[in-house]
Amino acid sequence: MAKLIVVIGVTGVQGSSVAHTFLRLPGWQVRGITRNPSGPVAQTLATEGVELIKANLNDKHSLFPAFENANVIFSNTDFFLPFQNAMGSKEITGGCTVYEYAYHTEVTQGSNIAEVASSPTVLKTLERFIYSSLSDARKWSGGKYKDLYHFASKAETIRNIRNRFPAVAERMSLVQITHYVTNWKNLPALAPQKQPDGSFILIRPSTPKTIVPFVVTHQDTGPFVKALVDLPPGKHLLGVSESMTFPEWAKTWGETLGHKIEFKQVSDEEFWQGVPEEVRTVLSEDFAYTDEFGYTGGDPEVQTATQLGIEIPCTSMAEYIKNEDWSSVV
């Protein structure tokens, strides 16, 4: 009998990767949760074999039919969607900041997912609960970085699961998705910058010695989740495709595409110039924390595939760069 994985946010970057990975595996069925099953991405997934269920993470009752007979649940919640919504319509925040609004929304959604997963009917078949996490920045920085709300919301959700839903926690493993290599598509300053002489500069406020765990999210999230499904519960995997410094990434980019490029460290003021204040506040803290403490913050529970004694097929930076569309940059 085929096993069933339920993918939260199946049309997103992480969720679609998980769906595609398990669609290729014999003996697995994929059910995807989305707010808009009639959308083009959802419809494409449906033609590929994903069973679509319309559900709203703010409405836990809508999740019960989605979780029926699930053997695995991949739980992935989004801080930045409510953050962007609040930036566009501050009246929806109810008097709190846009950061607090997004934080509370994500914690509520993550807790709703876990609460429904903890129901006796779901637990009858549930073997693994895989949660997409981030570092507990406040804890691992000793309180220095207390305003990294998109890290804090996931850390609070994990605490809620462990404290309120122990049966789910017993089945839970975590994948800590690292630095999206595609972030430049959402923030142009992250892309290589073309110069008048035709060469390029990659600028960052980070030091050139910082080792960055890059992840090709749309390709490699699925293999990370598959690895955790195959392992006993209680694992915390660092979801990284390849680690390197920003100068090394720039060198790889230039050699792969045949362009001259240099890395340049710039001040926070120069790098974030023109970026909305709310976005700058969130992301500048992110860069500063990972620059100082590393992406995991030094959390000893977070392990690489090598430390777990497994091999996971991942996309190299050269492979990603070669296959990416850089027409908007070059």
Side-chain angles (χ1 to χ4, degrees), residues 88-107:
S89 304
K90 289 188 171 61
E91 63 273 10
I92 69 174
T93 64
C96 62
T97 67
V98 294
Y99 317 108
E100 293 167 337
Y101 173 79
Y103 168 91
H104 289 300
T105 298
E106 183 170 25
V107 171

Side-chain angles (χ1 to χ4, degrees), residues 54 65-66 69 138 168 191 196 220 248 250 255 264 277 312 328:
K54 183 177 182 179
N69 298 320
R138 181 177 296 184
V168 175
D220 294 345
E248 289 170 338
E255 291 176 347
K264 180 182 179 183
E277 182 63 29
I312 301 176
S328 64

Side-chain angles (χ1 to χ4, degrees), residues 70-209:
N71 299 108
V72 176
I73 294 172
F74 173 63
S75 180
N76 171 35
T77 52
D78 186 2
F79 172 92
F80 285 100
L81 179 59
F83 176 72
Q84 291 167 350
N85 290 341
M87 284 183 61
S89 304
K90 289 188 171 61
E91 63 273 10
I92 69 174
T93 64
C96 62
T97 67
V98 294
Y99 317 108
E100 293 167 337
Y101 173 79
Y103 168 91
H104 289 300
T105 298
E106 183 170 25
V107 171
T108 297
Q109 291 180 346
S111 298
N112 284 345
I113 294 166
E115 182 175 348
V116 176
S118 72
S119 66
T121 54
V122 177
L123 289 176
K124 283 181 182 178
T125 57
L126 188 64
E127 300 170 11
R128 293 288 182 277
F129 184 88
I130 311 297
Y131 182 73
S132 178
S133 71
L134 288 172
S135 170
D136 189 345
R138 181 177 296 184
K139 175 181 178 179
W140 297 110
S141 70
K144 180 175 181 178
Y145 293 98
K146 60 182 184 299
D147 296 327
L148 263 174
Y149 284 93
H150 59 301
F151 283 57
S153 53
K154 287 181 167 54
E156 181 63 18
T157 299
I158 293 168
R159 281 190 288 270
N160 278 347
I161 294 171
R162 288 172 172 164
N163 293 332
R164 296 174 55 197
F165 311 112
V168 175
E170 289 173 2
R171 296 161 168 81
M172 182 168 69
S173 284
L174 308 173
V175 56
Q176 191 170 120
I177 300 297
T178 51
H179 186 85
Y180 280 35
V181 74
T182 54
N183 277 342
W184 63 272
K185 296 182 179 182
N186 298 315
L187 189 64
L190 296 174
Q193 306 295 309
K194 194 169 187 177
Q195 304 302 297
D197 65 356
S199 66
F200 291 83
I201 292 179
L202 184 72
I203 62 171
R204 290 291 188 278
S206 305
T207 71
K209 294 183 179 180

